[in-house]
Amino acid sequence: MTRSMPLSLRLTLLSSAALAVVAAGAIAPASAADKTQVTLLTIGYPDKDTIDANTGATSPGIDKLEAAFEKANPDIDLVITNIAWGDGATGYTPKTEAMVQANQSCLYEMPGAASFAKRGLLQNLDELIAKDKDFKNVWGKQLETDKVWGPGGQHLYYIPDNTGERVINWDAKLFEDYGVEPLSKNPTLDEIAEKAKKLTGTDPKTGVETYGYWYQGKYTVWQFLTIAHAMGANWGGVDQTGKMTINWNTPEYLKALNWLVDMSKYAPRGALASDSMPDGFLSDDNVVAIIPEGEQGYFIQPLIANPDLQKRFRSSFNLRGSDGVGGLSTITPLAMAASCPNKDAAWTALKWLAGAPEAQAYYFQASGRLPTASTGAEAVPAIAKFPDAEVVLTQPQFAEAPYPWAASQPRFSLQNAIEAAIAGTATPADALAQAQKETEDWLAKQAG
Amino acid sequence: MTPESSPPSRDSGVVARLRRAFRGALVWYGFVLPPLFLILVFIGYPTAIAFQQSMFTEVPGGGQKFAGTYHFERLLGDPVFWGALGNTVLLGVAFLVIIIPLSTVLASMLNRVRRGATPLKVIYFLPQLTSSVAIAILFHYVFQPDWGLLNGTLRLLGVNPLPLWLAEPRYTLTGSRAAATILAVWAGLGYFIIVVLAGLQSIPNDLYDAAAIDGASPVQSWWYVTLPSLRPTFIFLIITGTIDQLARFSDLWTLGGPGGSPARSLQSIVMYIFQQGFVGSDFSLSAAAAVVFFVIVLIVTSIAFWGFLRREFSAVR
């Protein structure tokens, strides 16, 4: 049996409830209004926490980045749109273009940011840095190498928020077996050549045939460009009008190609057919002593999982040119749209997303990407325990500026030239001349 | 006489007959039209666009301008194009020269097997059902010069120096082209065997009986009866095999990457078309190469039809 509530009491309760709703409504917008909204486009992170079916490792969802940011910046409401890399018409490129055109976001993870900068769609960050009295450069030389052409000249239009890297891996056990001094932290071309020659032959302790040097067959172009840069070569550039010049057929590149062809004698005979690290890498069966182009994905997680390997498989900095940089850049640029309505808050967010240890830790946990900032050791303590932690964590700060043609015809023409020279089907000079001709055809087409 | 009962005129009789005929065939047109529509949309239209694109050049900022034969002239002067065309022809010829005799011999032996023929046919045919990309990944390991399966076996047999396979771009019997040919033969052998087997089983026994009465040995029967009777089968296999080989792409791409490594030795004409278009963004040159490829396939098919198939069709009629 139920008893009905008196009408007066019901009216009183209803009135109270309505007042409470109105009051809450009045309070909530006031709280949100205190926060400045900053919108961010990210690419390729998990939307929610995911568990790897093979390893059982958890990759944190993008909401974890948002939560960490808002905890550190309570005055800013970060709204993240996370898209997949995708492919072709459904890839990130047309989606980014659509969002930029529609002013849908303030901050963008933006591969290909240089072309957006050239079109005047990005904020010149040099202006924001000049106004920011508290600005601290935790990205090193990257703030110089990442400058690209925009409407007002060559400026900083993005800061890398995470990166891949290319270090020189080397097998300490093989060095010890042969009684060769370990590879130095900043090896030179001469040191590599000299030690590679000594390390090629029959291992005096195990009797196994070993090799001093390695090159990644189908991807040797990146190694070659690093070697050439260390020898003083310069691929060219892009001028203010967007016109690109590329010069492969120079004495420096020829010298570099001759050097690489010579070094290929100290690598396994079939290296030209490879597309990654040598068989046995990171195991007791490894037979290659110096392994350039050590990409983060090949060695970092296995070394974390098996700390014993850290003593044997070591890392040195990649080769550098006279400008102090060297090695392929595989950064993820973080840029601000010129149309962003609240640039102060967006600048605060950009600095945090590209430099804060919490953000850097998130990128590593979610996708294995490395820190770009000097706060990296704090961000990924597992790497900080490596004997070569400094090398692994700071190499990205010394990478060359991104190559604007990295996914275009000049790369494939040069790669073919290198393969032909190593295989002996063309002389290094002829191979570079052919690459130059193909590249010039491509450049002519770009110019219309 | 009421209008309803008047006899139909001659014209209306024809119309009625046509209408009846059409009504009877309507259902068949209904079946034919959807695939025809799909062919026009997904093959006819892109083909027409490729022809149009090959004679125009994109203008920066949008739009196109007429270029006439300019892109074809560029193509003729491009050694990379000729290299890709040469690779395609060489790989295709090597494939057919090996696979047709091999499949004929194996099918003839299989035709004599009384027990276990079906499992053998299934085993031979299995690679045909496997993705060409998966097969290429597998063969990439098989032909890896330093730690691949094949060289590992040769090392155990004391072979020295070991072949370089996928690291050797020269024209040798143990180079990258040879490896790609072995892969293609392995993958296609089952299909060729099944087709030849069907051809063998369609040969009337009377011919063999007559040969036996004439005192022919088994080898003579095979040479003088079996092989000539397989002529239509060989023609069919040569034509379809040639067109398949001209259009080869996915396995070579998997073995050699976008540039047909090493040193473009595995770059086929379709890979060239793809690379010019989607890597070099030179869609006009890519379209011109596609048009040349279309013409080559058309010529091969026409020669096959006028030279061989027409005679076979006439014989059937």
Side-chain angles (χ1 to χ4, degrees):
Chain A
M1 191 177 165
T2 56
R3 287 174 62 187
S4 62
M5 197 183 285
L7 183 63
S8 57
L9 184 58
R10 274 196 226 177
L11 285 172
T12 308
L13 283 173
L14 276 172
S15 308
S16 306
L19 276 171
V21 167
V22 169
I27 291 164
S31 173
D34 290 345
K35 287 188 167 191
T36 309
Q37 192 183 72
V38 172
T39 44
L40 164 69
L41 175 75
T42 58
I43 309 172
Y45 300 98
D47 287 327
K48 297 286 174 194
D49 291 0
T50 54
I51 296 172
D52 187 297
N54 293 319
T55 64
T58 302
S59 296
I62 193 73
D63 54 320
K64 298 291 186 295
L65 180 68
E66 192 174 311
F69 174 84
E70 291 185 354
K71 189 178 171 192
N73 300 275
D75 297 337
I76 299 174
D77 176 25
L78 185 68
V79 179
I80 299 178
T81 303
N82 183 46
I83 61 170
W85 285 103
D87 201 11
T90 59
Y92 69 88
T93 310
K95 286 176 184 168
T96 304
E97 179 74 39
M99 288 189 74
V100 170
Q101 292 293 341
N103 299 328
Q104 287 286 301
S105 190
C106 253
L107 301 176
Y108 290 85
E109 278 198 337
M110 189 180 263
S115 66
F116 286 94
K118 199 174 133 239
R119 291 158 62 195
L121 295 170
L122 300 185
Q123 169 65 39
N124 174 357
L125 300 183
D126 283 336
E127 291 173 1
L128 300 179
I129 290 171
K131 282 197 294 185
D132 186 349
K133 289 173 188 165
D134 300 327
F135 180 76
K136 188 180 167 194
N137 179 7
V138 292
W139 299 276
K141 282 179 174 286
Q142 293 169 105
L143 297 195
E144 287 304 314
T145 55
D146 289 345
K147 285 187 174 178
V148 294
W149 286 101
Q154 203 168 14
H155 293 292
L156 187 70
Y157 286 96
Y158 60 82
I159 294 177
D161 64 354
N162 59 63
T163 182
E165 73 173 353
R166 304 295 172 102
V167 296
I168 301 173
N169 290 129
W170 51 280
D171 185 337
K173 181 181 177 296
L174 294 184
F175 276 73
E176 195 182 323
D177 287 356
Y178 277 88
V180 175
E181 277 288 301
L183 200 66
S184 57
K185 196 161 84 174
N186 282 291
T188 61
L189 286 160
D190 289 342
E191 182 190 348
I192 289 173
E194 182 200 329
K195 290 181 177 172
K197 284 170 194 172
K198 287 181 183 168
L199 291 157
T200 303
T202 306
D203 188 316
K205 287 195 178 165
T206 63
V208 172
E209 192 177 1
T210 66
Y211 304 88
Y213 194 67
W214 177 250
Y215 60 98
Q216 279 184 28
K218 291 173 193 165
Y219 298 99
T220 317
V221 64
W222 307 131
Q223 191 171 341
F224 170 71
L225 285 161
T226 305
I227 294 163
H229 185 73
M231 288 184 171
N234 180 0
W235 62 266
V238 184
D239 70 13
Q240 201 164 0
T241 64
K243 190 182 172 195
M244 198 185 297
T245 48
I246 299 177
N247 302 303
W248 304 134
N249 204 5
T250 66
E252 292 84 7
Y253 279 112
L254 182 58
K255 189 178 166 194
L257 191 49
N258 279 319
W259 189 89
L260 183 60
V261 169
D262 186 47
M263 290 301 291
S264 68
K265 293 173 196 157
Y266 307 107
R269 287 176 72 231
L272 192 58
S274 74
D275 51 14
S276 60
M277 303 306 250
D279 195 49
F281 178 60
L282 301 183
S283 79
D284 289 342
D285 298 329
N286 181 55
V287 291
V288 183
I290 300 172
I291 307 163
E293 298 300 299
E295 206 173 332
Q296 80 283 352
Y298 287 131
F299 73 97
I300 292 180
Q301 295 295 1
L303 293 195
I304 290 172
N306 187 353
D308 286 346
L309 292 176
Q310 294 170 13
K311 291 174 195 156
R312 175 165 179 177
F313 293 96
R314 306 288 303 275
S315 304
S316 294
F317 281 114
N318 213 335
L319 296 160
R320 292 182 196 168
S322 56
D323 52 2
V325 298
L328 181 70
S329 168
T330 51
I331 57 165
T332 301
L334 184 62
M336 186 189 298
S339 60
C340 177
N342 36 18
K343 287 183 178 149
D344 289 342
W347 175 234
T348 302
L350 192 154
K351 285 189 291 181
W352 188 91
L353 290 163
E358 301 97 307
Q360 308 273 287
Y362 173 78
Y363 303 131
F364 183 71
Q365 290 158 9
S367 62
R369 301 279 288 171
L370 291 170
T372 48
S374 55
T375 51
E378 189 185 337
V380 267
I383 298 179
K385 291 176 189 159
F386 285 12
D388 308 306
E390 187 199 340
V391 173
V392 177
L393 287 169
T394 60
Q395 166 60 38
Q397 295 177 39
F398 299 98
E400 273 194 81
Y403 305 128
W405 41 263
S408 304
Q409 188 62 39
R411 165 191 163 180
F412 296 102
S413 296
L414 187 60
Q415 171 67 30
N416 174 65
I418 297 162
E419 290 174 10
I422 290 176
T425 56
T427 64
D430 288 347
L432 287 176
Q434 174 64 21
Q436 184 68 36
K437 184 190 170 299
E438 290 174 26
T439 299
E440 278 170 10
D441 287 348
W442 181 80
L443 287 170
K445 174 72 176 53
Q446 302 308 302
Chain B
M1 189 182 256
T2 59
E4 288 79 12
S5 62
S6 61
S9 68
R10 182 182 167 81
D11 284 351
S12 65
V14 170
V15 171
R17 273 205 304 279
L18 279 174
R19 192 174 292 158
R20 273 199 302 276
F22 182 73
R23 200 173 291 148
L26 195 62
V27 64
W28 304 115
Y29 283 110
F31 279 117
V32 168
L33 277 177
L36 180 67
F37 173 76
L38 293 177
I39 287 170
L40 288 175
V41 169
F42 292 111
I43 296 177
Y45 177 71
T47 305
I49 290 292
F51 272 81
Q52 183 259 347
Q53 181 81 46
S54 69
M55 287 181 283
F56 282 81
T57 296
E58 283 177 29
V59 178
Q64 294 183 327
K65 65 179 179 189
F66 185 68
T69 59
Y70 171 67
H71 298 296
F72 293 95
E73 289 163 24
R74 286 175 63 203
L75 207 58
L76 295 178
D78 184 358
V80 182
F81 169 73
W82 288 110
L85 188 59
N87 281 337
T88 309
V89 172
L90 182 64
L91 291 173
V93 169
F95 170 77
L96 290 172
V97 164
I98 294 170
I99 201 166
I100 289 182
L102 188 60
S103 60
T104 306
V105 170
L106 287 171
S108 300
M109 290 160 75
L110 210 53
N111 199 30
R112 293 277 177 176
V113 172
R114 291 288 165 254
R115 286 186 184 176
T118 304
L120 282 173
K121 285 179 209 167
V122 170
I123 290 167
Y124 279 120
F125 199 73
L126 270 178
Q128 193 67 32
L129 305 176
T130 311
S131 149
S132 60
V133 172
I135 291 173
I137 290 171
L138 183 74
F139 272 75
H140 195 272
Y141 165 68
V142 170
F143 286 115
Q144 217 297 326
D146 296 308
W147 41 80
L149 183 68
L150 185 55
N151 273 10
T153 310
L154 294 175
R155 190 179 288 115
L156 287 176
L157 296 172
V159 175
N160 191 25
L162 290 165
L164 282 174
W165 300 116
L166 295 173
E168 175 57 272
R170 291 183 184 82
Y171 293 93
T172 70
L173 290 175
T174 55
S176 55
R177 293 178 185 87
T181 304
I182 294 170
L183 179 158
V185 169
W186 183 83
L189 191 60
Y191 170 75
F192 274 66
I193 287 176
I194 294 292
V195 174
V196 175
L197 203 53
L200 285 171
Q201 289 170 356
S202 69
I203 300 171
N205 280 332
D206 300 357
L207 295 177
Y208 291 107
D209 293 342
I213 290 167
D214 288 343
S217 67
V219 175
Q220 284 174 317
S221 284
W222 188 74
W223 187 259
Y224 292 108
V225 176
T226 306
L227 288 186
S229 303
L230 284 175
R231 185 175 179 277
T233 306
F234 290 148
I235 291 167
F236 169 77
L237 287 176
I238 288 169
I239 292 170
T240 54
T242 303
I243 293 170
D244 272 357
Q245 288 301 300
L246 285 174
R248 210 166 153 192
F249 178 79
S250 53
D251 59 338
L252 296 178
W253 181 278
T254 310
L255 281 182
S261 296
R264 291 194 178 123
S265 59
L266 294 181
Q267 190 172 48
S268 68
I269 189 163
V270 181
M271 285 166 74
Y272 176 87
I273 292 168
F274 185 91
Q275 197 178 17
Q276 291 300 333
F278 296 99
V279 177
S281 304
D282 195 341
F283 289 100
S284 297
L285 188 67
S286 176
V291 168
V292 171
F293 178 57
F294 177 88
V295 171
I296 291 171
V297 174
L298 191 67
I299 290 170
V300 168
T301 312
S302 301
I303 290 172
F305 179 78
W306 294 105
F308 306 106
L309 282 182
R310 202 169 60 145
R311 195 175 127 192
E312 300 301 331
F313 289 159
S314 306
V316 171
R317 276 201 290 271

